[in-house]
Amino acid sequence: MTFSESNISTNVGSPTVPPGRAIAGPEERPFEVTNLSAPETVPVGQSFNVSATVRNPGDRNGTEELQYRFSGVTVQRQTLTLGAGESQTVTFEVSPGTLPSEPGTFTHGVYAFDDNQSASISLTNENQSASLRR
């Protein structure tokens, strides 16, 4: 509800903050994702794990949905709650049924609301993997 009289305007019911100013109090910030650990090469049809460290840099508790994405597609989700300044390692167990069945190089990674860590991964035929290990 707004009341106006000549050059006086009052807005009742919703606090406003002048541009460039913040309301004092705890700050909630998006989670940060670091230290991605993932294999560079995996045979087609084999499971693997991907992990990353997730940190809440804010001044209060926060909850975010984390996603494991493979070639731009969300394959798995986890919801994580962290206290202010707290961090935790999250692990995604990736099964072959959620991935392409053909060899190739793809981008994959762990994604939070406003941050991510990604890397390339090569899916290979079994005989390609054996020759790479020699």
Side-chain angles (χ1 to χ4, degrees), residues 7-30:
N7 60 359
I8 300 172
S9 178
T10 304
N11 189 354
V12 178
S14 58
T16 58
V17 178
R21 303 253 175 129
I23 296 175
E27 183 180 1
E28 185 174 342
R29 293 177 37 204

Side-chain angles (χ1 to χ4, degrees), residues 9-10 17 25 54-55 65 79 83 92 98 106 110-111 114 124 129:
S9 178
T10 304
V17 178
V54 179
R55 184 171 95 79
E65 178 184 272
T79 300
F92 292 91
T98 59
F106 305 90
V110 176
Y111 291 73
D114 199 35
T124 62
S129 295

Side-chain angles (χ1 to χ4, degrees), residues 1-129:
M1 175 180 241
T2 302
F3 300 98
S4 294
E5 186 176 312
S6 61
N7 60 359
I8 300 172
S9 178
T10 304
N11 189 354
V12 178
S14 58
T16 58
V17 178
R21 303 253 175 129
I23 296 175
E27 183 180 1
E28 185 174 342
R29 293 177 37 204
F31 286 3
E32 297 171 346
V33 181
T34 59
N35 301 322
L36 180 71
S37 176
E40 293 179 8
T41 305
V42 174
V44 170
Q46 180 177 317
S47 298
F48 58 94
N49 290 335
V50 175
S51 63
T53 302
V54 179
R55 184 171 95 79
N56 175 3
D59 298 333
R60 60 181 170 181
N61 295 348
T63 300
E64 279 197 31
E65 178 184 272
L66 304 171
Q67 299 176 355
Y68 171 71
R69 295 183 193 169
F70 191 94
S71 194
V73 176
T74 299
V75 176
Q76 290 184 26
R77 292 177 164 89
Q78 291 183 25
T79 300
L80 182 63
T81 299
L82 294 173
E86 192 173 55
S87 63
Q88 181 176 325
T89 299
V90 296
T91 301
F92 292 91
E93 297 174 9
V94 184
S95 61
T98 59
L99 304 177
S101 58
E102 297 295 319
T105 300
F106 305 90
T107 299
H108 71 138
V110 176
Y111 291 73
F113 174 73
D114 199 35
D115 196 24
N116 71 78
Q117 287 272 292
S118 61
S120 291
I121 186 169
S122 293
L123 299 182
T124 62
N125 287 323
E126 284 291 333
N127 53 7
Q128 284 179 317
S129 295

